[in-house]
Amino acid sequence: TAWPSLSPSISTQPSLQPSEDPSVSGQPSYAPSSLPSSQPSVLPSAVSSVVPSSSPSSSPSEQPSLEPSPLPSSQPSASPIAMPSFLPSDSPSSLLSSYPQTFHVGSTNLIASLIGQGKCLDEAGEYYSNILVSSDTLVEVEGCGEVCTNDLTDDPLGDGLVGIAHALARDVWYCICYYDKDSPLPTLPFAAFSSKDVGAGPVVTSDGKALHFCYRVALEALSQSPSGVPSTSFIPTLRPSAGPVLVPLFSDSLFRFVGLGECKDHRGEVLLSLAS
C-alpha cells in the first residue's frame, strides 16, 4: 500500500521475516526523535551537515595537542620582550641573572655595579653622552670595562665616566661608555660612535631596553666601619709588604679642604708628616 495505516496494529511477536516488499511513505514524519542515539555510527555520513557551525575554526591545527589547556592564561605578560632571541634556548633562563652584580673596571680601583636592564639614566631620567664601540667577536661585560677605561682614557673618573652598558644584537656586541654632560668626550683612538646628551651625575636607573645591561661606575667603597682608634707604630715591620698598597684616588668625596698651610690638630700642634 502507498499509505500506511493510521491505526496500525501492535504485535507482541514481531515477524522474524519482514516483508520483502515494504511500504514506502511519501510523507516522512515531521517530528523525528528528540533524543539522539547513545551509540553514534562508527561510519558517519559522507554528506556534511546542512547547518554547519556559525563559528568554525579558520585554520585548524594539523597536529592538535593531546592535552590542551582547559583555559587560556588570564594574566598574560605585561612586558613582553621587544626583541626575541634569534636562537632561543631549549632551556631558557633570565638573561639579566647571568650578569655579575659587581666587577672591577679594567685595571682601575673602580667598581661597576649592576643597575638593571636597559640604557643608563640619571636621577632625572635623562640619557648620558656616550661612546659606543662594536665588535663582531664575543665581548663580555668585563671587557667593556677595559674598553671604557684602559682603551679610552688614563683617567676615567676625571674624564667624567659614570656608567657602562653591555649590549648585544645578532652577530654584533656593543660596549657603551657613559659620561657626565659637563665632561668632554675622550678622543677616540679607534673607530667608534659618540653622541652628546644631557645626563649628569651618578647613574640611578635604566630604561628597560631589551638586550642592554646598565652598570654604575664609582670608586671602590672604603670600609663602612673603620677602627675608632687606629694603631700607630714608629717601628717599621720586619716583614714589609711584597708589593705596593692600593690606595684610593684623591677625591672630594674622601677629603675636605680646610685651608692653606700646615695641618694641625685641635690643640694647634703640627701633625706628623712624611714629607721632609
Side-chain angles (χ1 to χ4, degrees):
T1 178
W3 300 95
S5 171
L6 296 177
S7 301
S9 61
I10 300 175
S11 172
T12 58
Q13 295 181 347
S15 172
L16 297 178
Q17 295 181 351
S19 172
E20 294 180 355
D21 185 19
S23 62
V24 178
S25 171
Q27 294 181 342
S29 171
Y30 288 99
S33 171
S34 60
L35 297 176
S37 171
S38 60
Q39 296 181 344
S41 171
V42 294
L43 298 174
S45 171
V47 181
S48 59
S49 170
V50 294
V51 186
S53 169
S54 59
S55 301
S57 171
S58 58
S59 59
S61 170
E62 295 178 359
Q63 295 181 344
S65 170
L66 296 178
E67 297 180 358
S69 171
L71 294 173
S73 171
S74 59
Q75 296 181 342
S77 172
S79 304
I81 186 169
M83 294 178 61
S85 170
F86 292 97
L87 296 171
S89 168
D90 292 332
S91 302
S93 61
S94 173
L95 191 58
L96 182 63
S97 66
S98 67
Y99 277 75
Q101 291 297 310
T102 61
F103 66 91
H104 275 91
V105 181
S107 58
T108 70
N109 62 338
L110 302 177
I111 292 292
S113 303
L114 180 62
I115 297 298
Q117 179 172 301
K119 295 181 177 181
C120 295
L121 302 174
D122 68 3
E123 186 176 13
E126 299 288 354
Y127 291 97
Y128 292 94
S129 299
N130 66 82
I131 293 175
L132 183 147
V133 182
S134 62
S135 172
D136 56 3
T137 58
L138 174 62
V139 178
E140 299 288 357
V141 64
E142 293 85 353
C144 288
E146 292 279 352
V147 169
C148 295
T149 55
N150 300 350
D151 292 346
L152 284 179
T153 176
D154 294 328
D155 182 15
L157 280 189
D159 286 337
L161 181 69
V162 295
I164 293 171
H166 185 244
L168 56 152
R170 188 174 187 178
D171 301 326
V172 181
W173 300 80
Y174 295 99
C175 293
I176 308 173
C177 313
Y178 293 108
Y179 295 88
D180 187 279
K181 69 179 181 64
D182 295 327
S183 301
L185 294 176
T187 301
L188 303 180
F190 43 76
F193 175 81
S194 63
S195 65
K196 291 288 292 181
D197 222 310
V198 297
V203 173
V204 174
T205 185
S206 57
D207 68 356
K209 183 176 177 63
L211 304 180
H212 287 62
F213 301 92
C214 167
Y215 283 80
R216 177 175 54 234
V217 171
L219 277 172
E220 185 173 8
L222 301 179
S223 172
Q224 299 299 313
S225 54
S227 172
V229 182
S231 60
T232 303
S233 174
F234 296 97
I235 303 175
T237 177
L238 297 177
R239 296 181 179 179
S241 171
V245 178
L246 181 66
V247 297
L249 297 175
F250 185 87
S251 168
D252 288 337
S253 64
L254 301 176
F255 302 91
R256 182 170 62 87
F257 179 73
V258 175
L260 299 176
E262 296 178 309
C263 292
K264 297 181 180 181
D265 64 12
H266 65 284
R267 294 187 298 271
E269 297 181 0
V270 177
L271 297 174
L272 177 66
S273 171
L274 297 180
S276 58

